[in-house]
Amino acid sequence: MTTHGAIPPSARSAAHTARAHSFNSAAAQYAANRPSYPPALFDALEEHAGRPLAGSRVVDVGAGTGIATARLHARGADVIAVEPGAGMAVEFRRALPGVPIVRGDGNALPLADHSADFLTYAQAWHWTDPALSVPEALRVLRPGGTLALWWNTEALDVPWIAEAARRVDRHFDHELSAERRDLGPGVADPTDRLGLVRREIRWSRRVPVDTHLANLTSHSVFLTDTAERRAAFLADERRHLLAAFPDGVVEETYVVVLLLARTPVTA
């Protein structure tokens, strides 16, 4: 089994960059098929912060096509999005023409000091370098502000999901499912400057098989795979799914891994 430790640093960096940029060529697929987030997630943000999202200045970093931004906006937040990718930004503007978006990333936020009540990263923090993104978060958040990092992860206690994850791991000869399980404060902030705490929120959605497969292949590991390998995997995976779900409707179950921190309140 290939592990990150066996890959030269230069190769890891090149692969990471290629995966990070891959979304721009599949932004429409991403927008149409990726899951959103449950209301309980945003309730948890407000509970931890001790303030509502409504009326708060929220910076959504790595906003992508605006899936999380739309939810934050619907809660009444004053949102500004930060997104590095041109293709993703085009889809964002199509979906949310009234929400401002600026080009940038979490390693160098194009924002003033202490200008945000909330700083959110939906499926995005792992594309940053914590040595840079941690101090940037502390710079941009106001005293008492909240940093929220979250990921939709597969509920691997559901048998069909665990089996599907093992098929993906075998396809790439790498334990991708283990990486998702290991999301936590120590990975997100190795120096523990933020004092992140972890919460989990379970939810599900029912979607056609085609939507499930399009969601799966909107992930960077598939976007950077060859077309031939991807097509072969999809054909095989469709057979497995239709055996499990003869009506062609898949129930995807997720566990949102949510990491939260608050900046100190100055006297």
Side-chain angles (χ1 to χ4, degrees):
M1 183 70 68
T2 301
T3 65
H4 283 314
I7 303 172
S10 58
R12 287 203 304 272
S13 176
H16 184 85
T17 299
R19 287 176 60 179
H21 291 168
S22 67
F23 300 110
N24 291 298
S25 63
Q29 176 185 349
Y30 190 110
N33 300 290
R34 281 290 183 106
S36 186
Y37 305 100
L41 167 62
F42 303 98
D43 294 341
L45 263 63
E46 293 179 328
E47 178 187 348
H48 185 87
R51 64 178 296 162
L53 285 161
S56 295
R57 168 52 66 93
V58 179
V59 178
D60 189 28
V61 186
T65 62
I67 294 172
T69 313
R71 294 283 186 169
L72 293 162
H73 182 67
R75 298 283 289 228
D78 174 17
V79 190
I80 182 170
V82 178
E83 168 56 38
M88 298 293 263
V90 167
E91 285 296 323
F92 181 102
R93 293 188 181 99
R94 182 177 293 124
L96 297 167
V99 177
I101 181 171
V102 296
R103 297 290 296 278
D105 63 52
N107 293 333
L109 292 167
L111 301 162
D113 294 357
H114 311 307
S115 57
D117 299 308
F118 290 84
L119 196 59
T120 62
Y121 288 76
Q123 314 284 139
W125 182 263
H126 57 286
W127 297 116
T128 73
D129 176 356
L132 301 173
S133 55
V134 167
E136 276 294 270
L138 294 171
R139 178 183 68 79
V140 169
L141 281 167
R142 291 173 178 156
T146 295
L147 174 67
L149 325 174
W150 69 83
W151 295 264
N152 268 324
T153 69
E154 299 99 332
L156 294 172
D157 59 329
V158 177
W160 83 263
I161 293 176
E163 292 169 7
R166 286 192 289 270
R167 290 193 293 271
V168 172
D169 288 349
R170 287 196 298 269
H171 178 73
F172 291 105
D173 193 25
H174 182 67
E175 291 189 26
L176 296 166
S177 55
E179 291 181 0
R180 293 188 287 272
R181 285 196 305 271
D182 292 341
L183 292 169
V187 173
D189 177 22
T191 63
D192 196 28
R193 289 185 63 187
L194 298 170
L196 289 163
V197 296
R198 174 174 169 144
R199 295 187 61 176
E200 294 185 354
I201 299 162
R202 193 179 184 95
W203 73 287
S204 64
R205 68 171 187 168
R206 290 173 57 82
V207 296
V209 166
D210 285 345
T211 299
H212 173 80
L213 292 173
N215 167 34
L216 180 65
T217 55
S218 74
H219 288 260
S220 60
V221 287
F222 280 102
L223 294 174
T224 53
D225 203 5
T226 67
E228 294 78 12
R229 277 172 46 84
R230 186 165 56 244
F233 178 88
L234 283 173
D236 186 57
E237 189 64 14
R238 183 183 297 276
R239 287 193 293 272
H240 285 290
L241 291 170
L242 291 175
F245 300 97
D247 64 352
V249 178
V250 177
E251 181 164 7
E252 299 174 343
T253 304
Y254 293 97
V255 176
V256 180
V257 175
L258 172 62
L259 305 180
L260 293 160
R262 287 183 67 183
T263 56
V265 178
T266 57

